[in-house]
C-alpha cells in the first residue's frame, strides 16, 4: 500500500528462495552460490523498506527493521567468515542462527503490535459509529415529534374548517348535527328530555 514498487523486490526474493531450494535439491553448487549472493544483496533492502515505513508512521515497521538488520548483519558476518575474511569463532558462528531466531520473535512482536493497533482502530470506529447512530436517532426522534405536532395542528385546523362556514365563520349544518348528537348522547341530557 505504501511502498508498492518494493513489492517487486519481495517477489524477486521469493523467486530467488525457490531457485536456491531447487539448486540445493539438484546439488548445483554454482547456482546456489549465485542465489545466496543475490539474497545477501537484497536482504538490506528489506531493512531500508522497514525504515521507510517507520518514517511514514508505522511503529511496528521500526521493530521489523531493527530485527531484520540484526539478521542481515549476522548473515554478512557468516558470509565474511565463510569467504575467509573473518576468523571463525564462537561469536560469528552462532550469530546467524541467533539473529534468525531473534528476527522471528521480533517480527511476531511487530505483528502483535499491528494487530493491537488494528483492534484499537476498529474499537474507535465502532464507538464513532455508535455515537453517530445515537445522534441520528435523537435527531430523527426530534423530527418525528415536530412533524407529529405539525400534523396535529393541521388536523385541528382541517376539522375546524370542516365544521365552520368559511364565509361567515359560524358553525355549518354538519357541525350542528354532530354537536347535537353529542349533547343528546350524554346521560344527563338524555334523562332530562324524557
Amino acid at each position: 500500500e505504501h511502498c508498492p514498487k518494493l513489492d517487486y523486490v519481495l517477489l524477486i526474493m521469493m523467486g530467488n528462495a525457490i531457485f536456491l531450494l531447487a539448486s540445493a535439491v539438484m546439488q548445483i553448487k554454482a547456482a546456489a552460490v549465485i542465489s545466496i549472493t543475490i539474497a545477501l544483496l537484497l536482504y538490506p533492502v528489506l531493512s531500508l523498506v522497514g525504515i521507510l515505513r517507520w518514517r511514514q508512521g508505522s511503529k511496528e515497521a521500526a521493530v521489523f527493521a531493527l530485527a531484520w538488520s540484526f539478521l542481515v548483519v549476522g548473515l554478512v558476518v557468516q558470509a565474511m567468515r565463510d569467504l575467509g575474511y573473518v576468523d571463525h569463532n564462537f561469536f560469528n558462528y552462532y550469530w546467524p542462527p541467533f539473529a534468525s531466531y531473534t528476527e522471528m520473535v521480533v517480527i511476531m512482536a511487530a505483528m502483535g503490535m499491528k494487530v493491537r493497533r488494528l483492534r484499537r482502530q476498529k474499537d474507535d470506529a465502532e464507538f464513532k459509529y455508535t455515537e453517530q447512530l445515537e445522534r441520528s436517532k435523537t435527531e430523527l426522534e426530534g423530527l418525528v415529534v415536530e412533524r407529529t405536532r405539525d400534523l396535529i395542528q393541521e388536523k385541528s385546523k382541517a376539522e375546524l374548517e370542516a365544521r365552520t362556514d368559511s364565509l361567515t365563520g359560524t358553525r355549518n349544518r354538519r357541525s350542528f348535527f354532530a354537536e347535537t348528537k353529542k349533547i343528546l348522547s350524554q346521560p344527563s341530557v338524555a334523562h332530562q328530555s324524557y
Side-chain angles (χ1 to χ4, degrees):
E1 180 184 343
H2 300 281
C3 312
K5 292 184 179 179
L6 294 172
D7 287 348
Y8 295 116
V9 175
L10 294 175
L11 292 172
I12 290 169
M13 289 183 76
M14 286 188 282
N16 185 52
I18 293 168
F19 178 74
L20 175 59
L21 180 62
S23 299
V25 168
M26 293 188 289
Q27 298 181 352
I28 305 171
K29 188 175 181 180
V33 168
I34 291 170
S35 180
I36 289 171
T37 304
I38 291 170
L40 286 173
L41 292 173
L42 290 176
Y43 272 21
V45 173
L46 289 180
S47 294
L48 295 176
V49 171
I51 292 169
L52 175 66
R53 284 294 298 124
W54 171 58
R55 292 188 46 90
Q56 291 174 343
S58 174
K59 293 177 184 174
E60 54 273 1
V63 174
F64 169 81
L66 180 66
W68 193 263
S69 298
F70 190 63
L71 175 63
V72 168
V73 170
L75 293 173
V76 169
V77 167
Q78 179 182 2
M80 301 278 279
R81 183 196 68 212
D82 291 347
L83 293 172
Y85 295 116
V86 174
D87 290 335
H88 181 81
N89 62 33
F90 179 83
F91 178 73
N92 65 30
Y93 183 76
Y94 285 106
W95 184 334
F98 177 73
S100 180
Y101 173 76
T102 304
E103 177 257 341
M104 180 179 58
V105 169
V106 173
I107 285 177
M108 286 191 306
M111 288 171 57
M113 290 170 64
K114 177 81 171 181
V115 167
R116 189 175 66 228
R117 184 168 55 84
L118 289 173
R119 183 175 294 132
R120 194 169 38 245
Q121 287 174 347
K122 178 187 85 74
D123 291 344
D124 289 347
E126 284 178 354
F127 176 76
K128 287 177 184 176
Y129 177 71
T130 303
E131 199 174 56
Q132 179 62 33
L133 281 178
E134 287 298 321
R135 265 196 312 272
S136 295
K137 177 186 166 198
T138 303
E139 289 172 9
L140 184 59
E141 287 172 347
L143 288 171
V144 167
V145 166
E146 184 180 322
R147 186 67 179 135
T148 302
R149 186 176 53 244
D150 292 346
L151 287 172
I152 289 170
Q153 288 174 353
E154 290 299 319
K155 179 183 175 222
S156 297
K157 184 178 173 184
E159 287 174 350
L160 180 64
E161 288 175 0
R163 290 190 309 258
T164 58
D165 180 48
S166 59
L167 185 60
T168 63
T170 59
R171 292 184 178 235
N172 60 19
R173 182 175 177 219
R174 183 169 52 166
S175 173
F176 173 75
F177 284 119
E179 195 66 31
T180 303
K181 186 176 182 181
K182 186 173 150 187
I183 291 171
L184 289 176
S185 67
Q186 292 177 356
S188 61
V189 175
H191 185 45
Q192 289 174 357
S193 63
Y194 290 116

